[in-house]
């Protein structure tokens, strides 16, 4: 009755591509994840050097699956603190511990339209949505990406290559139009899936018609990733729910935003 | 060598392995159990349960520290009745011995909670009475700090509970040996040394404590040398089995706990960092016992203590 | 920004920097002082001194743990008279304020040691009375565990000593706030929170404790969240200055200690791992203060406490 | 009045040569050490990955200076636990933190004869002695090296290349003669400098005439390396002395061997 497959295993880093100073695209050989991950699911990545001894940093880092191809899994990662700095410094051939796939992920789009709204690295899970569903004839996907500005050029390029009609906004206008991901929302999208910072979600929910379904992918500090520690909970109308099990994708209108740290 | 038996006898309760998933780190639904973790595990503990449902603490609940983890979960759970009705049978299905961790908030809650659980007593390996949670206002650590507090809670639980009763002690006790003895004197079947250590983290940018309740409990490898000392003290103070809890994340750590006198070893934060930890520890222990000529855990237990060792 | 002043006022004693080399990690002869460490340091503490010379403990004295260090030095020193005769003047020569750490073994030794030191009182920044060494049989931690013990030792020291008197507390206190208050009530000028945490290590191959005295004191980053909590408690309990000691190894750690209420920060194990730590912390603190708009350490001190903060 | 030079600095790893599975020869660019180190002195080497965060492992590792050449310092290191494993895995170009030179080192040889007795990696400091003094015309240096056997071939080769009359003993006789470093001691050497395990020292002192001066380089766990922590003391007739200041080189007859752990 326990989960059928092993959750955790070592995986070889196949490629580590630098997208500007503070963003990396990691490609890992992890067939057990690639074979089953749904868009919006994530994995935990170990960031402690493998020399025996105490793991430091102790906790694995949650990162969204940005794409799968054959047995390969790709991640789009901002370099923030010591865990992501460690990962960004790894060279191809290095072995990392991966746990996953984790979380609920997005469901099937209802169609006929799907609007994806990404803020910064929130592009990662939405890219995997786009990659999965772009070929569906009965679905029209729009993708809006908002970025702060300088430093995000390569990320924007990477997405623009795959997504011809990508709409880009930047705070300073240096890429795409000036503004943010919510500057030019369509009047009445059929459905919105979003990933980005909390202020983006609030703006989104403010501006959209209350009837439009909005799914958001939330970031919370995680301990285990598999539903054991209750460290990752998000305040919702249904109570405190685990971002690693009941999430990270939630109905945006169910979140108690004023309680969300 | 794989013939070495890791079975351990906890005062009549025999587990196939001395390794137990500690309270608060293991999903309450077997559908979520990572199968990586099962080989090597002798039992699992439930999340700390209260009489009434609890939403747990607000705000940030986890904070990483050097080789450690601060947590302030605050005993989020759906309440004991819901547990008995909806979760208990499911948790028993996989066949792993189940320990239920109870965190009453008052003396009368002790009576009521054990009363509710009593009909299921034959199904449970033990109840672990949590007198040590640092993350709640009522109950928890307040009891565990003094021998008197432990004595009165244990006595009350003992009267209400026919099954095995373990007392989970707190490192914040004035004197751990005393609290362990108090538990033994009032009829506990085992003591668990120990829960998390009271710590603090500050948010430098916002100049305030990271956690809503200011303090939080420290676990993980950082506390291992401290927890080992507590196990040493507890095993010197009582004759009932001592279970170790604190920072174990390698077979060496588990071996040290057993040499110090532990009959079983709980794995908490270590599991978060490595799902295959129980299997690795079991393998490492067997190899070690083989090298050292220990035929059983019983022989190994306490072998570093002056009374027993060379 | 480099104009930001890191000066700190410890009840009338003004140091250029709040960073102090903790007792027991700094050579007793300036000829051995690594110059890398001097920029940023506001004062240095002597090794713990006893009345009679002590050879210190036998066997292994250091043991590495996850992000931590267990030590059992056992106050090796040549005795207070030798110190006064041979070492004190040398230690004063470089001009850094000097704190003398005293570890008497009995009440009468308190009288005698402060008596011996009295003529030199004008030369010393302070005496740090060590009621917290876990590695000796007499004195040390035995005093520090209870408020009563701290009160009687402090009172006796206060009568014998006209200079500044700091009391170095132990994490093994039943209640740190109480011991801090006891020190304040009996006339201490400051408290140091705190010394090392009692831990244990076992030698798996030889099945015995690593240390001859079984237990040892844990220091280093592993204990930082615990030490920060003690500083928080102490600063909430007393009005005299609180000095932080425990696990500081970055400017962020030092900043957290000050935000929690510390007036100065001692660096122990962190120095062993990085000689340029004081300079790095000083720089990091200045940049932080600048970003946050703190004009002085005094403004910053305790700013994360509910009474003072936002 | 404090020490004149900085003790600690970052140094670039120039070469990392594997000498069998468990031994490495590291060459580092550390002019401040190379310029002043005496044979028998040692350095402490940081073994924590440099990603910001808590240092783990916490303590630096003491290693003897095996040679200096220009601004380069070379070390001969057995891979034992996590610190040395980390060092052995570093690639050229990596930066390591070095502290030193530390300790007393050997004094000037009195001559005319000097016998060097090394057990295993004890060869490291004695190699630097040999390199320093081999050209002195008034000095006849003999070098005995005892090794356990398999795995030490490359170390023996490295030494034999530099020291033509190196006398090698191995426990199993697979290299040189069968026996250990004390198997064939000369009758009355003028002076003996030794580095190796404690049983070797005891055998040496047992077998040599009590009049022969014997200096030994001792290994003790170290915290600071600069005389502050008193963690490294060695029991001697003069009391507990610091291996990092009064040692690591001691008069072998002054050590209270029965108290030495
Ligand atoms: C479900 C999920 C998916 C994510 N997907 C991506 C992604 O695809 N690309 C990407 O760049 N980032 C993603 N993040 C955020 C990413 O996990 C953090 O940036 C990362 O954990 C920071 O670790 P660090 O060691 O660099 O920072 P540190 O500040 O050193 O981390 C300290 C601790 O805080 C946690 N933490 C810090 N920031 C965050 C955060 N924003 N969210 C969650 N935990 C945090 C860390 O995991 C760690 O436990 C995701 C987060 C979640 C929860
Ligand atoms: C003055 C001196 C010079 C040395 N020179 C050399 C040399 O040139 N080549 C070489 O291979 N080895 C040398 N050693 C021994 C070397 O320091 C240890 O092998 C090394 O510290 C082991 O570290 P680890 O992390 O691999 O092992 P671990 O077991 O993980 O180390 C744990 C802790 O114990 C300490 N430790 C473990 N073994 C020893 C030991 N034998 N001596 C001192 N501390 C120890 C470590 O430094 C560390 O603090 C020397 C030791 C000293 C004191
Ligand atoms: C996230 C988390 C939640 C915990 N919840 C509980 C709990 O509900 N009841 C309890 O008795 N202990 C709880 N603990 C304490 C652990 O069971 C364990 O005693 C402690 O963490 C020390 O062991 P470790 O270092 O192996 O984690 C919790 C610990 C963590 C980290
Ligand atoms: C090797 C060593 C020796 C110490 N000796 C003394 C001492 O003589 N007197 C004393 O009061 N504290 C002593 N301490 C405690 C330190 O001063 C400090 O309070 C403690 O280590 C915690 O701080 P840290 O984590 O910064 O090291 C010693 C600590 C270490 C590691
Ligand atoms: S991270 Fe542990 S329950 Fe979600
Ligand atoms: S290692 Fe610290 S005194 Fe020698």
């Amino acid at each position: 009755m326990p989960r059928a497959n092993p959750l955790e295993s070592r995986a070889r880093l196949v490629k580590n591509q630098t997208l500007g100073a503070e963003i990396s695209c990691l490609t890992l050989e992890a067939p057990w994840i690639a074979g089953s991950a749904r868009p919006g699911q994530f994995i935990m990545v170990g960031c402690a050097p493998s020399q025996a001894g105490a793991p430091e940093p102790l906790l694995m880092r949650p990162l969204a699956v940005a794409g799968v191809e054959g047995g390969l899994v790709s991640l789009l990662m901002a370099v923030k603190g010591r865990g992501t700095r460690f990962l960004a410094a790894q060279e191809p051939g290095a072995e990392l511990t991966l746990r996953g796939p984790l979380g609920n992920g997005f469901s099937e789009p209802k169609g006929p339209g799907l609007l994806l709204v990404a803020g910064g690295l929130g592009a990662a899970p939405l890219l995997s949505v786009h990659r999965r569903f772009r070929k569906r004839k009965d679905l029209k996907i729009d993708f809006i990406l908002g970025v702060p500005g300088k430093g995000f050029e390569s990320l924007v390029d990477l997405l623009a290559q795959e997504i011809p009609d990508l709409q880009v906004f930047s705070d300073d206008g240096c890429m795409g139009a000036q503004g943010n991901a919510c500057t030019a929302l369509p009047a009445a999208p059929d459905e919105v899936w979003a990933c980005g910072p909390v202020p983006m979600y609030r703006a989104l929910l403010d501006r959209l018609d209350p009837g439009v379904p909005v799914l958001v992918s939330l970031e919370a500090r995680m301990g285990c990733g598999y539903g054991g520690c209750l460290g990752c909970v998000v305040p919702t109308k249904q109570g405190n729910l685990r971002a690693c099990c009941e999430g990270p994708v939630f109905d945006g209108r169910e979140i108690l935003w004023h309680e969300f740290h | 060598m794989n013939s070495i038996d890791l079975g351990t006898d906890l005062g009549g309760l025999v587990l196939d392995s001395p390794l137990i998933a500690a309270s608060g780190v293991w999903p309450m639904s077997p559908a979520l159990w990572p199968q990586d973790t099962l080989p090597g595990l002798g039992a699992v503990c439930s999340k700390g349960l209260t009489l009434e449902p609890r939403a747990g603490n607000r705000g940030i609940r986890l904070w990483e520290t050097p080789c450690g983890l601060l947590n302030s979960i605050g005993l989020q759970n759906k309440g004991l009745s819901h547990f008995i009705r909806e979760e208990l049978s499911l948790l028993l299905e996989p066949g792993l011995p189940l320990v239920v961790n109870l965190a009453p908030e008052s003396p009368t809650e002790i009576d009521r909670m054990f009363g509710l659980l009593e009909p299921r007593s034959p199904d449970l390996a033990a109840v672990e009475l949590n007198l040590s949670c640092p993350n709640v206002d009522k109950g928890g650590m307040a009891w565990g700090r003094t021998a008197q507090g432990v004595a009165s809670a244990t006595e009350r639980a003992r009267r209400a509970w026919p099954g095995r009763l373990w007392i989970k002690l707190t490192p914040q006790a004035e004197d751990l040996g005393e609290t362990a003895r108090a538990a033994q004197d009032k009829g506990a079947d085992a003591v668990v040394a120990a829960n998390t250590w009271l710590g603090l983290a500050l948010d430098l940018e916002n100049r305030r404590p990271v956690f809503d309740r200011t303090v939080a409990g420290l676990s993980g490898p950082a506390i291992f040398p401290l927890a080992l000392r507590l196990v040493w003290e507890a095993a010197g103070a009582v004759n009932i089995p001592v279970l170790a809890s604190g920072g174990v994340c390698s077979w060496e750590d588990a071996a040290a706990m057993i040499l110090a006198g532990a009959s079983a070893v709980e794995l908490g934060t270590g599991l978060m960092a490595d799902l295959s930890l129980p299997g690795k520890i079991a393998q490492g222990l067997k190899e070690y016992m083989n090298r050292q000529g220990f035929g059983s855990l019983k022989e190994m237990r306490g072998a570093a203590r002056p009374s027993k060792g060379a």
Side-chain angles (χ1 to χ4, degrees), chain A, chain B:
Chain A
M1 235 200 353
R3 284 180 197 261
N5 293 312
L7 258 190
E8 191 168 299
S9 190
R10 302 281 286 172
R12 208 166 51 86
L13 182 65
V14 174
K15 203 168 133 192
N16 182 349
Q17 190 187 350
T18 302
L19 301 174
E22 302 291 302
I23 305 176
S24 297
C25 176
L26 305 175
T27 308
L28 292 140
E29 201 174 331
W32 87 100
I33 293 173
S36 64
R38 289 189 303 278
Q41 285 195 299
F42 68 97
I43 61 176
M44 302 278 285
V45 186
C47 300
S50 62
Q51 274 84 23
E56 168 59 27
L58 186 57
L59 299 178
M60 302 172 90
R61 281 12 185 191
L63 293 167
V65 172
V68 296
E69 211 184 309
L72 302 181
V73 172
S74 61
L75 310 172
L76 280 175
M77 180 188 77
V79 181
K80 294 277 187 174
R82 57 216 185 107
T84 51
R85 199 148 54 226
F86 170 85
L87 294 178
Q90 297 307 297
E91 308 207 336
E95 290 218 330
L96 297 170
T97 302
L98 306 189
R99 178 181 298 170
L102 301 164
N104 57 354
F106 291 100
S107 44
E108 284 288 306
K110 305 197 189 67
L114 173 63
L115 174 62
L116 304 178
V117 181
L121 268 296
L126 298 182
L127 181 58
S128 78
V129 169
H130 198 275
R131 285 169 167 169
R132 174 70 64 97
F133 298 118
R134 62 173 67 145
K135 296 224 171 92
R136 257 180 59 177
K137 290 276 149 53
D138 58 339
L139 194 68
K140 161 94 176 66
I141 310 183
D142 290 305
F143 199 129
I144 303 180
L145 170 66
V147 296
K150 240 170 91 19
F152 282 77
E153 294 84 353
S154 308
L155 179 72
V156 170
D157 285 353
L158 181 121
L159 267 83
Q161 255 170 26
E162 291 196 30
I163 308 168
D165 52 355
L166 179 74
Q167 299 168 58
V168 178
F169 294 86
S170 57
D171 292 348
D172 57 3
C174 79
M175 279 165 287
Q178 182 167 4
N180 60 46
C182 298
T183 301
L185 290 175
D190 293 328
E191 192 176 5
V192 178
W193 295 1
C195 187
V198 172
M200 182 188 99
Y201 295 138
R202 299 191 130 185
L204 198 61
L205 291 163
D206 259 10
R207 295 190 201 175
L208 288 172
D209 192 283
V212 179
V214 178
L215 295 181
V216 298
S217 176
L218 291 181
E219 289 189 4
R221 266 154 220 281
M222 292 196 172
C224 66
Y226 49 81
C229 72
L230 307 184
C232 64
V233 301
V234 169
T236 76
K237 292 179 185 163
Q238 264 68 53
N240 287 328
L241 298 180
R242 294 168 295 193
C244 72
C245 288
E246 288 80 40
V249 177
F250 293 95
D251 178 342
R253 303 192 200 283
E254 290 286 303
I255 305 298
L256 305 179
W257 292 106
H258 56 284
E259 287 188 16
F260 191 70
H261 46 276
Chain B
M1 186 204 62
N2 271 303
S3 71
I4 284 187
D5 182 13
L6 289 184
T8 188
D9 182 340
L10 293 163
L13 170 70
V14 178
L15 302 180
D16 288 346
S17 158
L19 306 176
I20 301 176
S23 180
V25 301
W26 193 241
M28 292 288 270
S29 148
L32 292 173
W33 289 4
Q35 84 163 27
D36 320 47
T37 308
L38 299 177
L41 223 46
V44 300
C45 263
S46 78
K47 173 70 194 163
L49 300 167
T50 49
L51 182 59
E52 304 298 333
R54 278 181 64 94
N57 294 335
R58 289 190 183 204
I60 287 182
R61 289 182 169 192
L62 298 175
W63 191 259
E64 209 181 43
T65 71
C67 283
L69 175 67
L70 285 166
N71 90 76
S72 177
I73 307 298
L75 296 178
Q76 174 174 345
N77 78 101
K78 297 181 177 153
L80 182 60
S81 301
H82 177 273
F83 172 80
I84 293 171
R85 213 171 47 236
E86 307 283 341
E87 297 173 312
L88 177 52
S89 301
L90 277 177
L91 283 168
L92 290 167
E93 265 184 47
L96 260 181
L98 178 69
V99 177
V100 171
N101 184 289
L102 293 188
E105 295 186 352
S106 70
T108 53
E109 282 198 9
I110 296 183
D111 304 341
R112 292 181 59 198
M113 292 182 78
F114 280 99
L116 282 172
L117 206 54
E118 214 234 83
R120 302 305 299 267
S121 123
D123 297 330
L124 304 183
V127 162
E128 185 179 73
L129 181 60
N130 179 349
L131 303 182
S132 43
C133 182
N135 299 323
V136 293
D137 290 325
K138 284 179 267 176
M141 207 177 76
W143 262 315
R145 290 192 89 137
T146 63
Q148 221 176 339
V150 171
S152 71
T154 309
E155 185 168 33
R156 199 132 184 169
R158 185 70 293 172
R159 272 205 303 267
W161 179 243
R164 260 176 224 92
L165 177 64
W166 300 349
I167 305 296
K168 189 161 178 184
L169 303 170
T170 169
Q172 277 69 241
E174 289 179 2
D175 180 323
L176 190 94
E178 296 277 307
T179 56
R181 245 189 313 269
Q184 170 176 276
D185 290 350
K186 297 302 182 183
D189 297 299
V191 292
V192 184
N195 211 312
T196 49
W197 295 70
L198 216 52
L200 179 76
L202 295 183
D203 173 342
L204 299 185
E205 295 314 311
N206 298 302
R207 311 173 184 183
R208 62 170 181 232
V210 161
F211 295 104
D212 267 26
R213 290 177 43 83
T214 307
V215 294
L218 185 66
S219 63
I223 65 165
F224 175 74
L226 305 177
L228 180 61
R229 191 259 304 175
L230 293 183
V231 167
W232 183 272
E233 284 180 9
V238 299
N239 304 313
I240 53 175
V242 173
L243 289 86
S245 174
V248 174
C249 74
S250 68
W251 74 259
E252 289 93 336
D253 296 343
M257 289 294 196
I258 295 165
L259 289 174
S263 296
V265 177
E266 298 194 353
L267 306 176
T269 310
L271 285 185
M272 293 192 208
D274 179 3
L275 282 178
S276 56
L277 188 59
K280 287 182 192 162
I281 293 181
Q283 183 62 22
L285 277 181
K286 283 181 187 173
E287 289 171 12
Y288 172 78
M289 290 167 72
N290 196 49
R291 276 201 307 280
Q292 291 275 324
F294 288 120
S296 69
L297 267 197
K298 194 175 162 192
E299 271 177 45
M300 181 178 164
R301 186 189 316 143
R305 304 188 69 87
S307 51
K308 217 183 155 184

